[in-house]
Amino acid sequence: MISTLASLIAPAIAHESRPLFVEISASASGDVLLKATAPPSVEAANAPAVRLGAPCAAIAEQRRGPQIFAAEYRCPNLSGVQVTIEWPAFNPSLTTIVRAIFHDGESRTAILEPGEASWTMPELESFAGVARSYFIIGVEHIVFGIDHLLFLAGLLFISGKFRRAIVTATGFTVAHSLTLALVALDVLAVSIPAVEAVIALSIVFLAAEIARGNRETIAWRRPALVASAFGLVHGAGFAAALSEIGLPASEKTAALLFFNLGVEAGQLSVILAVFALLAGARALVRRDLANWNTVRPLQLSGGYALGVVSAVWFVERTAAVLGA
């Protein structure tokens, strides 16, 4: 149990699953600024080198530790320029996100897999390219976002049955879609550190409900309502992920839509996987495990494990808010 908790807490501190972010900004005069931000776990001996190919010419380069690299280029045109990424030892990032901003405000965004070391900027931003890129970002934000996964796990625990879990997840979806759109489109302004702290607090709340096991509370009787309430906060958290990447100027609606669809695809995958495992376990032991959340020892262990991890996050994130 201790090793499991440690493995869950560690990513929250080290953020080893964060991607390599590469941002390229061009001015009307042809000056281009390139900035690469590597995950905090990257060591000096493995600091990545990011370069722009011809016809761009390097003017100056500067490195601030192994994580931050910046360079100035002179480029007559960014279209068709190749971006190359070199890691001296190995690529520790799950993905590389490259974002190019043209002088007219138009942007290009690409997600590179660990094995991809280069990307050529396209001539035009296509709907299909935006849809694919932002859908993948949405899926990865759920699959590799341990806090959102644990919140979803707590909801599934309380929901118990498949149909009820789907209704609960739908309530969460409707709520977070609303705030995701409002924050991403700058209609609503929020404090991202405060949002992250409240997300951790939402998991603490579910953990306490699971550990107590009092089925008369609103969380047990109306999990969809609780999911909707906290979904508003989680939606702002999803928007924070988008803010690091940005929305393409010509395809904002497509990017927002497919990011949200990616989030939903990730959520449904988790729900189906959990209930598939339960069905398999039921078939193996020949007993009804559909109501596994009624087993008191499992409630206590699951509730306390969830509570310890989320409480650590809440303390860390609250300290970040107070120290900001």
Side-chain angles (χ1 to χ4, degrees):
M1 178 66 72
I2 294 177
S3 61
T4 301
L5 292 179
S7 66
L8 289 173
I9 294 173
I13 300 173
H15 301 290
E16 294 177 352
S17 64
R18 283 185 176 178
L20 168 67
F21 283 102
V22 179
E23 185 170 80
I24 304 161
S25 303
S27 67
S29 63
D31 293 330
V32 175
L33 177 63
L34 180 151
K35 182 179 179 181
T37 305
S41 58
V42 172
E43 298 179 352
N46 195 35
V50 184
R51 301 283 186 271
L52 296 182
C56 294
I59 299 174
E61 294 182 354
Q62 183 179 13
R63 183 176 293 281
R64 191 170 67 223
Q67 284 80 35
I68 307 296
F69 172 78
E72 293 181 31
Y73 285 83
R74 177 61 59 85
C75 302
N77 191 352
L78 279 182
S79 297
V81 171
Q82 187 177 63
V83 184
T84 59
I85 302 102
E86 295 180 6
W87 295 89
F90 67 98
N91 181 0
S93 298
L94 293 170
T95 55
T96 297
I97 297 176
V98 183
R99 185 184 181 219
I101 306 172
F102 290 68
H103 69 275
D104 59 358
E106 188 63 47
S107 65
R108 310 285 189 270
T109 302
I111 301 175
L112 309 183
E113 300 299 323
E116 296 182 86
S118 65
W119 177 65
T120 301
M121 284 180 274
E123 295 293 332
L124 296 173
E125 185 79 273
S126 67
F127 176 87
V130 169
R132 176 184 177 276
S133 296
Y134 281 84
F135 182 85
I136 294 173
I137 293 173
V139 172
E140 290 183 341
H141 191 65
I142 282 293
V143 175
F144 299 114
I146 189 66
D147 50 357
H148 297 297
L149 276 181
L150 288 183
F151 180 78
L152 186 58
L155 288 178
L156 293 180
F157 199 105
I158 288 177
S159 299
K161 296 183 178 180
F162 182 76
R163 183 175 179 180
R164 198 167 184 235
I166 292 297
V167 173
T168 300
T170 300
F172 179 68
T173 294
V174 172
H176 80 61
S177 297
L178 175 62
T179 48
L180 168 60
L182 292 176
V183 176
L185 296 175
D186 296 324
V187 176
L188 179 67
V190 297
S191 167
I192 297 305
V195 165
E196 295 294 334
V198 176
I199 288 175
L201 186 61
S202 70
I203 307 173
V204 173
F205 171 80
L206 286 181
E209 290 292 326
I210 292 170
R212 284 197 297 263
N214 181 5
R215 294 174 175 273
E216 297 304 314
T217 65
I218 191 171
W220 287 90
R221 290 187 293 108
R222 297 288 186 271
L225 182 61
V226 173
S228 299
F230 283 120
L232 295 173
V233 180
H234 282 252
F238 295 147
L242 268 185
S243 69
E244 295 181 335
I245 303 165
L247 295 173
S250 61
E251 296 288 354
K252 283 187 178 182
T253 302
L256 190 58
L257 172 62
F258 281 91
F259 175 82
N260 203 41
L261 289 176
V263 168
E264 300 321 310
Q267 286 182 177
L268 287 176
S269 298
V270 172
I271 294 173
L272 292 174
V274 168
F275 280 93
L277 289 174
L278 289 177
R282 182 170 62 248
L284 286 174
V285 301
R286 295 183 179 180
R287 57 183 295 187
D288 185 11
L289 293 181
N291 293 322
W292 55 281
N293 56 340
T294 63
V295 181
R296 186 58 181 162
L298 185 57
Q299 284 184 229
L300 285 174
S301 60
Y304 281 116
L306 196 62
V308 168
V309 174
S310 55
V312 170
W313 286 340
F314 177 66
V315 171
E316 288 180 345
R317 295 174 183 184
T318 300
V321 173
L322 296 177

